[in-house]
Amino acid sequence: MAAPQVVIVMGVSGSGKTTLARLLAREWQATFIDADDIHDAAARARMAAGLPLTDAMRDPWVARIADELLQRVAKGERVVLAFSGLRRRHRERLRATGLSLRFLFLHGDQALIAARMQVRIGHYMPASLLDSQFEALEMPLGEADVVTLAIDRAPADVLRDALALCA
Protein backbone atom coordinates (compact mmCIF):
# COMPACT_ATOMS: atom_id res chain seq x y z
CA MET A 1 0.00 0.00 0.00
CA ALA A 2 1.38 3.42 -0.95
CA ALA A 3 2.11 6.03 1.71
CA PRO A 4 -1.03 8.07 2.44
CA GLN A 5 -1.43 11.83 2.00
CA VAL A 6 -3.58 11.96 5.13
CA VAL A 7 -3.46 9.87 8.30
CA ILE A 8 -6.56 10.07 10.46
CA VAL A 9 -6.11 9.10 14.10
CA MET A 10 -9.59 8.13 15.25
CA GLY A 11 -11.34 6.84 18.36
CA VAL A 12 -13.60 7.90 21.18
CA SER A 13 -12.80 10.92 23.32
CA GLY A 14 -9.97 10.14 25.72
CA SER A 15 -8.42 7.40 23.58
CA GLY A 16 -5.29 9.46 22.92
CA LYS A 17 -6.04 10.76 19.42
CA THR A 18 -4.60 14.22 19.90
CA THR A 19 -1.49 12.97 21.69
CA LEU A 20 -0.67 10.40 19.02
CA ALA A 21 -1.60 12.70 16.12
CA ARG A 22 0.67 15.49 17.40
CA LEU A 23 3.60 13.09 17.85
CA LEU A 24 2.99 11.44 14.52
CA ALA A 25 2.76 14.78 12.67
CA ARG A 26 6.07 15.88 14.17
CA GLU A 27 7.88 12.64 13.30
CA TRP A 28 6.28 12.26 9.86
CA GLN A 29 6.84 15.95 9.06
CA ALA A 30 3.17 16.62 8.43
CA THR A 31 0.62 19.26 9.35
CA PHE A 32 -1.36 18.46 12.50
CA ILE A 33 -5.08 19.25 12.53
CA ASP A 34 -7.37 18.66 15.50
CA ALA A 35 -10.94 18.14 14.30
CA ASP A 36 -12.13 19.51 17.65
CA ASP A 37 -10.85 22.92 16.54
CA ILE A 38 -13.20 22.78 13.54
CA HIS A 39 -16.34 22.40 15.69
CA ASP A 40 -18.51 25.49 15.74
CA ALA A 41 -19.14 27.34 19.00
CA ALA A 42 -22.64 25.87 19.40
CA ALA A 43 -21.35 22.29 19.19
CA ARG A 44 -18.57 22.97 21.69
CA ALA A 45 -21.03 24.60 24.09
CA ARG A 46 -23.44 21.69 23.77
CA MET A 47 -20.74 19.14 24.57
CA ALA A 48 -19.40 21.27 27.44
CA ALA A 49 -22.93 21.19 28.86
CA GLY A 50 -22.79 17.39 28.84
CA LEU A 51 -25.04 16.90 25.80
CA PRO A 52 -23.89 14.69 22.93
CA LEU A 53 -24.06 15.93 19.35
CA THR A 54 -26.59 14.49 16.94
CA ASP A 55 -25.60 13.21 13.50
CA ALA A 56 -27.31 16.26 11.99
CA MET A 57 -24.99 18.45 14.07
CA ARG A 58 -21.92 16.44 13.08
CA ASP A 59 -22.55 16.48 9.30
CA PRO A 60 -21.54 20.12 8.62
CA TRP A 61 -18.49 19.63 10.85
CA VAL A 62 -17.36 16.62 8.83
CA ALA A 63 -17.89 18.60 5.61
CA ARG A 64 -15.64 21.39 6.97
CA ILE A 65 -13.00 18.80 7.87
CA ALA A 66 -13.12 17.32 4.36
CA ASP A 67 -12.71 20.79 2.84
CA GLU A 68 -9.75 21.53 5.12
CA LEU A 69 -8.03 18.27 4.12
CA LEU A 70 -8.53 19.00 0.43
CA GLN A 71 -7.09 22.51 0.80
CA ARG A 72 -4.04 21.30 2.75
CA VAL A 73 -3.21 18.47 0.35
CA ALA A 74 -3.70 20.80 -2.64
CA LYS A 75 -0.92 22.94 -1.12
CA GLY A 76 1.35 19.89 -1.06
CA GLU A 77 1.02 19.17 2.66
CA ARG A 78 0.81 15.77 4.31
CA VAL A 79 -1.73 15.87 7.13
CA VAL A 80 -2.31 14.04 10.39
CA LEU A 81 -5.87 14.58 11.62
CA ALA A 82 -7.13 13.82 15.13
CA PHE A 83 -10.81 12.98 14.49
CA SER A 84 -13.29 10.84 16.38
CA GLY A 85 -14.57 9.13 13.23
CA LEU A 86 -17.29 7.44 15.25
CA ARG A 87 -19.73 6.97 12.39
CA ARG A 88 -18.97 5.02 9.26
CA ARG A 89 -20.78 7.65 7.18
CA HIS A 90 -18.32 10.27 8.45
CA ARG A 91 -15.38 8.10 7.49
CA GLU A 92 -17.02 7.58 4.09
CA ARG A 93 -17.40 11.36 3.69
CA LEU A 94 -13.66 11.78 4.16
CA ARG A 95 -12.97 8.92 1.74
CA ALA A 96 -15.19 10.69 -0.82
CA THR A 97 -12.57 13.46 -1.03
CA GLY A 98 -10.51 11.09 -3.18
CA LEU A 99 -7.43 11.71 -1.04
CA SER A 100 -5.12 8.85 -0.11
CA LEU A 101 -6.17 8.15 3.49
CA ARG A 102 -5.18 5.79 6.25
CA PHE A 103 -7.20 5.54 9.45
CA LEU A 104 -5.53 4.55 12.72
CA PHE A 105 -8.26 3.43 15.12
CA LEU A 106 -7.21 3.81 18.75
CA HIS A 107 -9.13 1.13 20.56
CA GLY A 108 -9.20 0.33 24.23
CA ASP A 109 -11.18 -0.61 27.27
CA GLN A 110 -13.84 1.87 28.36
CA ALA A 111 -12.62 1.81 31.98
CA LEU A 112 -9.06 2.74 30.90
CA ILE A 113 -10.35 5.59 28.75
CA ALA A 114 -12.64 6.83 31.54
CA ALA A 115 -9.69 6.91 33.93
CA ARG A 116 -7.69 8.97 31.42
CA MET A 117 -10.56 11.41 30.97
CA GLN A 118 -10.89 11.91 34.73
CA VAL A 119 -7.35 13.30 34.99
CA ARG A 120 -7.18 15.54 31.93
CA ILE A 121 -7.55 19.25 32.51
CA GLY A 122 -9.14 21.98 30.41
CA HIS A 123 -10.93 19.84 27.83
CA TYR A 124 -14.48 20.85 26.93
CA MET A 125 -15.61 17.23 26.54
CA PRO A 126 -16.67 15.94 29.97
CA ALA A 127 -16.07 12.34 31.02
CA SER A 128 -19.84 12.02 31.42
CA LEU A 129 -20.15 11.86 27.61
CA LEU A 130 -17.92 8.79 27.26
CA ASP A 131 -20.90 6.41 27.29
CA SER A 132 -22.48 8.34 24.41
CA GLN A 133 -19.16 8.12 22.50
CA PHE A 134 -19.14 4.32 22.79
CA GLU A 135 -22.84 4.19 21.86
CA ALA A 136 -22.20 6.28 18.73
CA LEU A 137 -19.11 4.30 17.71
CA GLU A 138 -19.63 2.15 14.65
CA MET A 139 -16.66 -0.19 14.73
CA PRO A 140 -14.61 0.03 11.51
CA LEU A 141 -14.99 -3.65 10.70
CA GLY A 142 -14.19 -4.61 7.12
CA GLU A 143 -12.82 -1.16 6.25
CA ALA A 144 -9.58 -1.93 4.42
CA ASP A 145 -7.95 1.45 5.11
CA VAL A 146 -8.41 1.20 8.90
CA VAL A 147 -5.74 -0.26 11.19
CA THR A 148 -6.57 -0.84 14.85
CA LEU A 149 -3.97 0.12 17.45
CA ALA A 150 -4.39 -0.98 21.07
CA ILE A 151 -4.02 1.92 23.51
CA ASP A 152 -3.04 -0.09 26.59
CA ARG A 153 0.65 0.33 25.70
CA ALA A 154 3.25 3.04 26.12
CA PRO A 155 2.69 6.03 23.79
CA ALA A 156 6.15 5.45 22.25
CA ASP A 157 5.10 1.94 21.22
CA VAL A 158 1.87 3.18 19.65
CA LEU A 159 3.82 5.92 17.83
CA ARG A 160 6.35 3.40 16.51
CA ASP A 161 3.53 1.29 15.06
CA ALA A 162 1.81 4.37 13.61
CA LEU A 163 5.01 5.52 11.89
CA ALA A 164 5.46 2.10 10.32
CA LEU A 165 1.95 2.37 8.90
CA CYS A 166 2.72 5.75 7.29
CA ALA A 167 5.70 4.51 5.30
Side-chain angles (χ1 to χ4, degrees):
M1 188 183 301
Q5 298 166 300
V6 178
V7 173
I8 301 166
V9 181
M10 61 172 277
V12 298
S13 185
S15 63
K17 296 181 301 293
T18 302
T19 299
L20 178 61
R22 281 185 195 280
L23 293 170
L24 182 57
R26 185 185 72 221
E27 294 295 321
W28 196 47
Q29 298 179 350
T31 300
F32 166 75
I33 299 174
D34 191 334
D36 285 347
D37 295 338
I38 301 173
H39 274 302
D40 62 26
R44 291 173 75 91
R46 181 177 172 87
M47 289 183 284
L51 300 170
L53 299 179
T54 66
D55 281 338
M57 294 171 174
R58 289 184 186 109
D59 286 342
W61 171 60
V62 176
R64 288 191 304 273
I65 293 167
D67 289 344
E68 181 73 18
L69 293 177
L70 285 165
Q71 290 172 26
R72 297 292 185 138
V73 171
K75 293 181 196 175
E77 298 176 37
R78 293 195 296 193
V79 178
V80 178
L81 172 70
F83 170 63
S84 57
L86 300 178
R87 298 288 201 195
R88 184 177 186 126
R89 71 191 241 181
H90 299 147
R91 298 187 297 269
E92 291 294 342
R93 173 64 182 90
L94 297 184
R95 289 180 181 112
T97 62
L99 298 171
S100 173
L101 307 175
R102 179 139 329 123
F103 292 85
L104 305 180
F105 173 47
L106 299 184
H107 185 55
D109 179 71
Q110 189 168 349
L112 170 63
I113 295 170
R116 288 179 176 184
M117 290 180 78
Q118 292 296 331
V119 297
R120 70 182 182 183
I121 299 168
H123 198 281
Y124 68 88
M125 179 74 133
S128 62
L129 286 180
L130 184 58
D131 287 343
S132 71
Q133 290 269 294
F134 274 94
E135 289 167 11
L137 176 62
E138 294 173 356
M139 295 293 286
L141 304 174
E143 296 177 41
D145 56 359
V146 180
V147 178
T148 300
L149 297 173
I151 63 167
D152 59 350
R153 304 176 294 143
D157 293 336
V158 180
L159 175 60
R160 183 194 64 240
D161 292 350
L163 282 166
L165 293 163
C166 294

